[in-house]
C-alpha cells in the first residue's frame, strides 16, 4: 500500500487516534525504517514491480509538520525484511532477502552508508557480514548493541530460532 497513518503517542492515554498521513510515492511492503534528525527514512522493500531501490525520507512544511516524501538515495540489490538503524551518522542495513519475496534468498550482508549533512544517503558498502543469512527477524538496538531475533533463513526461507547479538564499531 502507499497509505500512511500517523498517531501521537501519549503515555497518559489508553488509546491513540490515527490520522491519514502523506501517501508514499508508490506502494511499498517489507521495508525497513528508522528516524534520524527528526525525519523518517524508508529502505528497501518491494511492490508489484519488484524490489525498490530508492530510499525515501519525510519532508516537512514551514511549521515542521510531515507533508510528504522525497528520494534521498538508492540501494543496489535492495533487500526486504532487513533490519535498519542509524549510528554514527551512517545508515546500516542488516540481512534481509535479496531478489524478492517469491524467488529471493536470505542474506548475511551488512551494509553501511554515510548520512550526509543534507540528509541524503551515500553509497552503501559491505562491512562484516552476519554469521548466518537472516531475514524478517525481530530487530532492536540498545546503544551500540544490535539484536536480531528469530526470522527466516535457508533456501526456502524457513523460520529459525536464531538469536544474533552484535556490537557496532
Amino acid at each position: 500500500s502507499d497509505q500512511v497513518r500517523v498517531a501521537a503517542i501519549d503515555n497518559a492515554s489508553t488509546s491513540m487516534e490515527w490520522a491519514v498521513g502523506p501517501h508514499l510515492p508508490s506502494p511499498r511492503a517489507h521495508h525497513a525504517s528508522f528516524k534520524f534528525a527528526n525525519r523518517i527514512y524508508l529502505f528497501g522493500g518491494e511492490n508489484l514491480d519488484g524490489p525498490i531501490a530508492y530510499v525515501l525520507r519525510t519532508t516537512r512544511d514551514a511549521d515542521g509538520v510531515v507533508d510528504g516524501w522525497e528520494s534521498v538515495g538508492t540501494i543496489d540489490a535492495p533487500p526486504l525484511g532487513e533490519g535498519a538503524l542509524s549510528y554514527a551518522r551512517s545508515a546500516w542495513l542488516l540481512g534481509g532477502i535479496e531478489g524478492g519475496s517469491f524467488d529471493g534468498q536470505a542474506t548475511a550482508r551488512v551494509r553501511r552508508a554515510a548520512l550526509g549533512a543534507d540528509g541524503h544517503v551515500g553509497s552503501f558498502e559491505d562491512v562484516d557480514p552476519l554469521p548466518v543469512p537472516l531475514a524478517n527477524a525481530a530487530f532492536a538496538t540498545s546503544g551500540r548493541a544490535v539484536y536480531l531475533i528469530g526470522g527466516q533463513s535457508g533456501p526456502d526461507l524457513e523460520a529459525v530460532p536464531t538469536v544474533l547479538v552484535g556490537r557496532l564499531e
Side-chain angles (χ1 to χ4, degrees), residues 140-155:
T141 62
S142 178
R144 291 175 33 194
V146 177
Y147 304 86
L148 293 162
I149 304 160
Q152 296 174 297
S153 195

Side-chain angles (χ1 to χ4, degrees), residues 47-127:
N47 60 28
L48 292 176
D49 295 325
I52 300 172
Y54 59 91
V55 177
L56 290 180
R57 175 181 75 165
T58 53
T59 59
R60 295 185 175 271
D61 66 16
D63 295 324
V65 175
V66 172
D67 66 352
W69 299 90
E70 64 182 332
S71 180
V72 292
T74 59
I75 308 167
D76 291 331
L80 50 134
E82 75 278 22
L85 71 135
S86 66
Y87 177 76
R89 294 205 60 86
S90 292
W92 293 73
L93 303 179
L94 295 88
I97 297 170
E98 290 184 354
S101 291
F102 300 108
D103 59 353
Q105 298 230 355
T107 182
R109 287 177 79 180
V110 174
R111 299 183 245 190
R112 178 180 59 206
L115 291 166
D118 62 357
H120 283 75
V121 179
S123 297
F124 280 91
E125 63 179 353
D126 287 326
V127 295

Side-chain angles (χ1 to χ4, degrees), residues 2-79:
D2 67 348
Q3 297 183 26
V4 175
R5 300 288 185 258
V6 180
I9 297 173
D10 180 357
N11 289 334
S13 176
T14 58
S15 65
M16 296 184 289
E17 292 197 27
W18 292 91
V20 174
H23 287 261
L24 297 173
S26 65
R28 186 180 287 227
H30 311 290
H31 49 282
S33 65
F34 63 68
K35 182 179 152 202
F36 175 76
N38 211 25
R39 306 279 176 118
I40 297 169
Y41 286 73
L42 301 181
F43 298 87
E46 66 183 342
N47 60 28
L48 292 176
D49 295 325
I52 300 172
Y54 59 91
V55 177
L56 290 180
R57 175 181 75 165
T58 53
T59 59
R60 295 185 175 271
D61 66 16
D63 295 324
V65 175
V66 172
D67 66 352
W69 299 90
E70 64 182 332
S71 180
V72 292
T74 59
I75 308 167
D76 291 331

